[in-house]
Amino acid sequence: MSDGTIIELSSGTSPSCPYYLGESIGDRLPEYLGRHAFDEFYLVTSQPLYELFGRDLANRLGRAGVAVNLITVAEGEGVKGWPELTALCERLVAAGATKDSIVGALGGGMISNLAGLAAAMVYRGLRFVEIPTTMLNLTDGTLSNKQAINGALGKNQFGVYHAPLFIWADVAMLRSEPERQHRSALVEALKNGLVNDAAWVDRMEDLLTGGVAGIRDDLLGVCHEVVRSKLGILAQDPGERGAGIILEYGHTVGHAVEFLSGGALLHGEAVGIGMCAAARLGIRLGITAPEVLARQEHLLGTLIGSPTTVPREFTPERIVEVILSDNKRRAGSAVRFVLVPEVGRVHIVDGDHETPVPEPLLKSVLAEA
């Protein structure tokens, strides 16, 4: 597919929004933005990302007559909290944003979450555009409508559902991303197959035989396939209130270890650890076939090169403490997990896609892991 070609998809969520995917499509953003009436465009990004992509983007928009206002924020999970959110909201108001303005979130998941939540809060809701600069945000994070910040006790504890006006996914921005970030994104891509599509897991195994570096040879094609793997799940539950919970496979323990690491673990790395912990729990409960864990460890550890075991410094007690404050916590004493009995299928009992796990068993498995 030639540079500049745009693949038009839908985000698959409810409410849905257009998802524009391509490579080197930056010169067409003014055209697509111009389909919407607005007064000014507020570009929220970090200073390094502005130097990499933002200045060029702002110049393109400026030449097309778009008034661009730059607001830079710090990056990293450590600043994804109330102080940075409050400051961003106040800066948008002080800069002159109105109900007719559009906010642009240029960055990875942290900046997207921060800018998306600020857009949802200012004047009870401004329109915003997602412009992902990481493979994980482009293939996963933008497809959720979830905007959130971290709390003192856990990840993504405060937030709302606020759909972007559209998603502008230019894989050219991923070319400068470190390979480790791509590995992190591929963990979430693998998860989509583990819970829903065994054929996609086979396909990923084929893609990864040449190593993660080989993925870059067809970055647009691979990203398109990854996005479609998630859209296939979202189509079953666009609001992610029922069957869509299967997308949280690995996230119960994953979110906890990611939070405890303070940013040392990337999101996908933490989710991979969480998926292996969930498989071990499933085996202990007689739900998961042992070969599921073996295949996960091969795909994650050998082919993707991502960690599969809980870091030793995180005790089972501390992990469970964080899990009990998780943003998806429901009533009851047991922690609930998405479990995979066989590759491509989730364990369901009486229509429930989550399985209660007693806390002592969870701590025992975490100690072994």
Side-chain angles (χ1 to χ4, degrees):
M1 192 171 294
S2 61
D3 286 359
T5 300
I6 294 178
I7 303 168
E8 298 195 13
L9 303 165
S10 169
S11 67
T13 50
S14 180
S16 65
C17 71
Y19 181 102
Y20 302 121
L21 174 66
E23 181 156 14
S24 301
I25 56 175
D27 59 339
R28 301 194 60 188
L29 179 58
E31 170 197 344
Y32 281 74
L33 199 58
R35 296 176 180 180
H36 307 273
F38 63 99
D39 53 6
E40 292 189 318
F41 185 74
Y42 289 83
L43 183 64
V44 178
T45 189
S46 68
Q47 190 61 43
L49 287 174
Y50 177 72
E51 299 299 334
L52 269 176
F53 311 116
R55 178 177 280 109
D56 179 64
L57 199 64
N59 288 339
R60 291 174 190 267
L61 290 168
R63 287 194 293 270
V66 177
V68 178
N69 299 275
L70 173 67
I71 298 180
T72 58
V73 296
E75 286 188 88
E77 284 291 312
V79 296
K80 185 180 155 185
W82 288 109
E84 195 67 34
L85 174 65
T86 302
L88 177 56
C89 289
E90 294 287 1
R91 290 172 69 189
L92 283 166
V93 172
T98 73
K99 288 284 287 184
D100 294 319
S101 302
I102 293 177
V103 175
L106 175 69
M110 176 266 166
I111 288 177
S112 285
N113 268 206
L114 190 71
L117 185 52
M121 294 176 67
V122 173
Y123 308 136
R124 299 188 182 92
L126 302 180
R127 294 168 296 170
F128 83 108
V129 172
E130 295 259 30
I131 311 174
T133 61
T134 66
M135 186 176 181
L136 181 59
N137 200 28
L138 185 147
T139 59
D140 185 76
T142 57
L143 299 170
S144 70
N145 292 350
K146 298 174 185 175
Q147 320 304 334
I149 56 171
N150 299 335
L153 299 177
K155 184 175 167 66
N156 295 337
Q157 289 184 319
F158 306 102
V160 299
Y161 287 86
H162 186 53
L165 187 61
F166 62 83
I167 300 159
W168 191 258
D170 188 345
V171 301
M173 293 186 183
L174 313 186
R175 296 284 176 190
S176 58
E177 189 178 20
E179 188 175 296
R180 183 187 173 196
Q181 298 281 351
H182 286 189
R183 294 179 190 276
S184 174
L186 291 169
V187 174
E188 285 277 16
L190 174 63
K191 175 213 65 186
N192 296 342
L194 289 169
V195 298
N196 187 64
D197 187 354
W200 172 238
V201 177
D202 293 339
R203 170 64 176 152
M204 282 206 67
E205 196 160 22
D206 290 340
L207 287 170
L208 290 165
T209 52
V212 174
I215 297 289
R216 298 177 188 239
D217 294 338
D218 184 23
L219 198 52
L220 177 56
V222 171
C223 286
H224 189 195
E225 287 190 71
V226 175
V227 168
R228 289 176 65 88
S229 76
K230 183 164 184 176
L231 292 180
I233 299 171
L234 291 173
Q236 303 171 36
D237 178 23
E240 290 191 68
R241 301 301 200 277
I245 195 68
I246 67 175
L247 287 166
E248 298 301 321
Y249 181 54
H251 285 61
T252 306
V253 170
H255 270 177
V257 297
E258 181 183 4
F259 179 76
L260 289 171
S261 79
L265 283 173
L266 299 179
H267 177 70
E269 293 170 340
V271 168
I273 291 169
M275 290 196 297
C276 290
R280 292 185 183 98
L281 277 169
I283 292 170
R284 288 279 291 273
L285 290 167
I287 292 170
T288 300
E291 51 265 30
V292 172
L293 176 59
R295 192 165 190 206
Q296 279 185 187
E297 290 179 327
H298 170 68
L299 287 160
L300 290 167
T302 305
L303 297 186
I304 295 178
S306 192
T308 59
T309 57
V310 176
R312 290 183 180 275
E313 61 267 30
F314 304 151
T315 66
E317 290 74 20
R318 187 70 183 100
I319 293 172
V320 171
E321 183 183 344
V322 175
I323 288 174
L324 293 178
S325 299
D326 188 73
N327 66 83
K328 296 172 185 66
R329 176 77 168 145
R330 289 167 60 180
S333 58
V335 181
R336 300 168 61 80
F337 279 80
V338 176
L339 298 177
V340 172
E342 61 186 34
V343 171
R345 183 170 68 86
V346 163
H347 182 63
I348 306 172
V349 176
D350 297 329
D352 196 339
H353 295 74
E354 292 182 293
T355 302
V357 174
E359 193 175 310
L361 174 61
L362 173 56
K363 288 180 177 178
S364 173
V365 169
L366 289 172
E368 293 173 1

